[in-house]
Amino acid sequence: MSKQTLPVVDSRAVACCSPLAVRPMDPDQASVIAPMFKALGDPVRLRLMSMIASVPEMCVCDLTPAFDLSGPTISHHLKVLREAGLVDSERRGTWVWYRVRPEAFRQLGALLDLPATTTPTTA
């Protein structure tokens, strides 16, 4: 894994993008979206996202035991998700609580949306 730092993504900037199947993405749009897909491209981060998305919010204390990884490693993965604009976090005392940024997922979903087409059926 590289030690490069991902820029913090403002997911509001993603709203400019139409579905990939409608129009090619310009370079600026791609540079905004790519960190989100890169963050989700890791199996641990994808599982973390799934866990966080399944509830309104989740404490890191509930995420860490689900993995055979150290606390600092889980924290790193959560930081990548946060910097990619996919989750928000809030410190409450000792623990950090995470929640999905719904607008980021709506925008990614819209980006991947395929237009409805009619396909001929064969009998």
Side-chain angles (χ1 to χ4, degrees), residues 54-73:
S54 69
V55 294
E57 62 181 5
M58 184 168 268
C59 178
V60 69
C61 60
D62 295 322
L63 293 167
T64 305
F67 297 88
D68 191 23
L69 298 168
S70 70
T73 300

Side-chain angles (χ1 to χ4, degrees), residues 19 21-22 113-117:
V22 171
D113 190 32
L114 292 175
T117 60

Side-chain angles (χ1 to χ4, degrees), residues 3-111:
K3 295 225 178 218
Q4 73 183 16
T5 304
L6 293 173
V8 176
V9 174
D10 180 358
S11 64
R12 292 172 295 188
V14 181
C16 62
C17 304
S18 61
L20 293 174
V22 171
R23 184 177 67 228
M25 186 179 286
D26 71 40
D28 290 336
Q29 293 167 333
S31 67
V32 170
I33 297 287
M36 292 181 181
F37 283 115
K38 184 175 181 179
L40 292 173
D42 180 273
V44 171
R45 290 193 288 268
L46 190 57
R47 283 188 58 214
L48 284 166
M49 271 309 326
S50 174
M51 293 172 71
I52 295 167
S54 69
V55 294
E57 62 181 5
M58 184 168 268
C59 178
V60 69
C61 60
D62 295 322
L63 293 167
T64 305
F67 297 88
D68 191 23
L69 298 168
S70 70
T73 300
I74 295 298
S75 292
H76 165 74
H77 285 297
L78 291 166
K79 177 183 174 188
V80 171
L81 292 171
R82 191 177 64 252
E83 288 179 346
L86 297 169
V87 297
D88 280 328
S89 63
E90 178 183 343
R91 179 170 291 282
R92 296 182 195 156
T94 307
W95 301 110
V96 178
W97 290 76
Y98 291 87
R99 63 191 162 281
V100 168
R101 294 187 70 184
E103 67 278 4
F105 278 82
R106 279 192 293 273
Q107 291 160 350
L108 287 176
L111 183 71

